[in-house]
Amino acid sequence: PGVVGSHRKGYAIVVPSMEDLESLGKSWKMPATELTDVHILVAKVPGDKSAMKHGEVVKALASKTADLMSKIAGLLDEKKAQYVDVLLAHAGRSPSHLHFLKTHGWKEVETYRNMRATLPKLIELPRIEAKYNMTPLQHGRVFALDLGVSKADKKTEVIFARGSSHLVLTTDNFEEYVVNDILTSCDFLERALLSPLLEKRLPSSQVFLHMVPPIPGTTNRDLGYLRVLFGNALQRFVAEHGTQLEKLRIASIEIKVWTSSTPPTPVRLVASKTARWEALAFSETIDDNGDPVKWTNIETGEEALTHDKLKPAIESRQSTKRQIARAAGSAYIYDFPALIRNSLTKLWMEYAAAEKIPDKLVSSVELALDSDGETLIEKEQYGTNKIGMVAWKLTLRTPEYPAGREIILIGNDITIKGGSFGTVEDTLFDKASKLARAKGIPRIYIACNSGARIGGVDELKSLVKVSWVNKDDPMKGFEYLYLTDSDYKSLPEESVTCHQITVDGETRHVLDAIIGKNLASTKGGIGVECLQGSGLIAGETSRAYEETFTLSYATGRSVGIGAYLNRLGQRNIQMVKGAMILTGPEPLNKLMGKQIYTSQDQLGGPHIMVPNGVTHQLVQNDQDGVEAIVRWLSFVPATVTSLPPMISAKDSISRKVQFKPIKGAYDPRHMLGGVMIDGEWVSGWCDEGSFHEYMAGWGKTVVVGRGRCGGLPVGIISVETRSCEKHIPADPQEPTSRDVIEMQAGQVWYPDSAYKTAQAIRDFNHGEGLPLVIFANWRGFSGGTRDMFAEVLKYGAMIVDALVEYKHPVTIYIPPNGELRGGAWVVLDPKINEEVIEMFADQDARGGILEPPGAAEIVFKKDKQVIELMHRCDHVLKDLTAKKAAGEDVAAQLKAREKLLLPLYQQVSQEYCDLHDRCPRMKSLGAIREGLTWEDSRAYLHWRIRRRVQENGAAKKMMRTVSGTSYAKASSFIASMTASAVQGVAKGSEDQAVATWLEENAKAVDDSIETERQFATEEEIYRLVSSLPGTRRSELVRDLVGFSRVSNAFSP
């Protein structure tokens, strides 16, 4: 559209059949004028309904057409023709297009076959063909799918999905059309990947779309607006189809549009995975043929003379590395920030309208080691890294923290030495993790590795010699390995340790040990030094879990120390292809002396790591994995000293809880998250859509997750009331072993579910800082022989240990029709940690040592007192007893009556015992704080927890600021500050009043704490000065006065 004064002379001819076409080679009279293009339409040619046979037919027709072109080539040259298009009209099938170019010696360009005559030019195929050898995958009239192999390195493979559109694009429909066209391209790509040609190949993909008609009403002043529209369309596509981008390995998306200025201006809109899908726009300068010759960035004004300059320079070098990473089952490590941006876009789209999404969702600073290998510095490498470990400090703009929050991201680079851990890799990991601890910010680890690096001193392999027992008979074995004198002297110091001997006049240096110092092949470690580094980062990861938030994502295999790092960080997301193993199947088979294991998944795949609790969440691909990371972070405070992040609640805080637990079995997830029943949404306790379950495959009688209540994040532990199956897989190592399925009753703690409970409490406490809500509905612990042997007592005690060290508000709530009995109550009782634990019970809940049937057996002396109650209350028995006293023989009647009434009075005895377990008695004895009504529990607990979070946060700040302050003293100080907030407040609204006051008066609280710090400092100074002898005291006071004067003089 933008070529001014372009004139092309064309000539078109219609011939009835192929025979007529062939006759043109003998007698074709062209116009006398020069021609640019020649178009030939063959009106009727054969075809076949069978796709395979039709292809053969077209191939034969193309051969005949090629013969014609060879005959008329001279005539075409005389007319200075450049291009011939032959259209073959098949009966009942789409026509075939054949393209012949002068630049190709008038031979058919098979890569253009079946494209419209103008399509190759519109989709810029000649530019692609200059750098790639193209193999057609699928061609249509307005689109083309081709597999390109780089002419430069002969390795890089790319699927080019390119198309054009003649639909009129407007600023109103821009986003809709672009999203739909990209989605259509993805559909073509998905079908193309099914081609046998691509079997076991992992090419990346590029999408290019050319919108030919100019956009009405747009001028060169609208270029920035077009970039914004493109950015919005990308955000929408990423949010809705981000997983597809990753699945199809799409590396870049380009859209070419035209403004309606005079002449029309071409605008190229570009986004790439490398640039984290940031939208860029370039105005194009085209030559007289319509080919672009220059691009100008509309924002920076920078000019590029080649198309490659439109993308980061490093991108072209990353294709091979991406293929290596894909072969290992993972995305390339440098693509993960882009995946994070995709996930943040989706999260924002769920939370807010597109126009409210921040422009730059992810900012990154790459961290590397300086030249001495000891100091962490900021250094952008983007794929030029020389070691197999990468680290970033990322700033994420999330709905919880729109201004940004920092995280440390560490990951293995599987493209360098298999992602193995050498000493330099260990050092970078250690330094980056320590930075996360020092800043108190989350540390995320992307795991895809080969474990600790193993190798040998390569320089010695060509030098070492063997001393055989009998050199003529090697089967008798060897005596030692040695170096000749000259070879030994050529090595640097500390290369080997050896002792010198002389054999037949030859000086030999018998190897006692290979050290390998000062040799190139040992740089970065080859053995025990790598194990030392593994110990270093193992200890660092354990400390990081205690001090900040740690989360690992196993995207590919994690071997040895890689698997241990995942477990030491505790929280794990695993991709289905990301096995976590201690060693591979081959070494184990060698150890056992036979072929037993055939894959890594048998040792550490999802079917192992999900049921054993190592994996918290399982995902299908890397985009889902990163989305899981981002969602998990949405519950985590910005730093370990920050309060949990509040967001505007989709659900009203005061809304009723509609799903009510019943006495029988039900799904606790419905109680927490809500459920659709008969087409209507029945809300649960959490905000709609906010509850996310973790560790679902392990300890199934307990449900663990994170959710929100009125926008407030909470950790949640609940109880499965239904029976569950525990699967224990067979071990291929044991020929007689079989899969075992064990049934586990609901409302009971088993060894695995008790451990899961303790683990969840520790996770919520360390790094996450979440208030904890436990929906307590346990009848007790399983105390059978098998479970006692399986250490249920140990894991039950771990629950107490975890609650004792919990530093944040804990709310224990016995739900309606729930019960908390015996040992289950003991491990959750508020007196375990009175500073943070509060217990509530629903009005329909129960709590006691035994359930009523069991209690009645004891309380009523195994029916003895039941019979006494019977005789006291039943008038018939009273009459019979009186008759017996009068001497009548009524023994049989008495016995019959007692037998008749016993079941009924047993129920009475159970009801009597049940009355002891109800909410009023628990409240009266101080066992619970309050009795609640389920429908209103959400609003009550929201404000109660919110108040306690604020009070707890202020108290902890005071403890950190004012040295030596106890929690009790800090809490008392905060309570005195908030006393005025509850004055004149309606009963039941005190929690809301205090929480609101603390949130609105944060600065006043900080100022009061600072005043207390100053007072405490003064008291400490007085105490220390008073402890000195009189003479020293006077000297110190004099020095302090002088110090004060000097400080004041230099103070601003």
Side-chain angles (χ1 to χ4, degrees), residues 187-247:
D187 291 340
F188 284 132
L189 280 170
E190 195 156 12
R191 289 196 290 270
L193 290 174
L194 300 176
S195 168
L197 183 65
L198 299 178
E199 189 176 1
K200 296 183 180 180
R201 300 168 85 163
L202 298 166
S204 61
S205 306
Q206 294 181 11
V207 174
F208 173 79
L209 300 170
H210 187 169
M211 310 300 189
V212 180
I215 301 174
T218 57
T219 67
N220 290 353
R221 290 174 300 190
D222 297 312
L223 301 187
Y225 182 49
L226 293 177
R227 186 194 70 81
V228 171
L229 291 177
F230 178 57
N232 291 342
L234 269 181
Q235 283 185 339
R236 179 175 159 190
F237 186 83
V238 166
E240 296 175 0
H241 309 286
T243 299
Q244 204 163 8
L245 278 175
E246 190 61 24
K247 177 183 176 183

Side-chain angles (χ1 to χ4, degrees), residues 44-56:
K44 187 177 181 180
V45 296
D48 199 286
K49 292 182 179 180
S50 166
M52 183 175 295
K53 290 182 179 179
H54 182 72
E56 294 174 357

Side-chain angles (χ1 to χ4, degrees), residues 545-561:
Y545 172 76
E546 296 292 332
E547 297 178 22
T548 192
F549 176 79
T550 55
L551 175 62
S552 300
Y553 170 46
T555 169
R557 66 177 184 268
S558 292
V559 184
I561 181 59

Side-chain angles (χ1 to χ4, degrees), residues 1046-1052:
V1046 173
S1047 297
N1048 291 336
F1050 286 97
S1051 296

Side-chain angles (χ1 to χ4, degrees), residues 52 66 435 460 484 564-565 589 631 862 868 899 933 995 1049:
M52 183 175 295
L435 178 61
L460 292 180
T484 64
Y564 272 113
L565 289 177
N589 291 336
R631 287 197 180 277
K862 292 188 177 179
E868 293 175 0
K899 184 177 180 181
T933 303

Side-chain angles (χ1 to χ4, degrees), residues 343-344 347 396 398 400-401 405 407 442 444 545 549-553 569-574 613-619 624-637 645 690 692-695 704-708 713-715 759-760 763-764 766-770:
S343 298
L344 284 176
L347 201 63
L396 313 181
T398 69
E400 301 80 27
Y401 296 101
R405 65 173 302 166
I407 68 168
I444 312 299
Y545 172 76
F549 176 79
T550 55
L551 175 62
S552 300
Y553 170 46
Q570 302 297 333
R571 305 173 189 87
N572 287 297
I573 299 168
Q574 184 180 18
V614 171
T615 293
H616 288 57
Q617 186 174 2
L618 184 67
V619 295
D624 289 346
V626 172
E627 184 178 319
I629 293 172
V630 170
R631 287 197 180 277
W632 203 323
L633 283 171
S634 70
F635 296 102
V636 179
S690 72
H692 295 273
E693 184 178 0
Y694 296 88
M695 298 188 287
V704 167
R706 290 155 183 84
R708 292 185 182 274
V714 292
Q759 178 70 58
D763 289 346
F764 296 143
H766 293 287
E768 299 187 46
L770 288 177

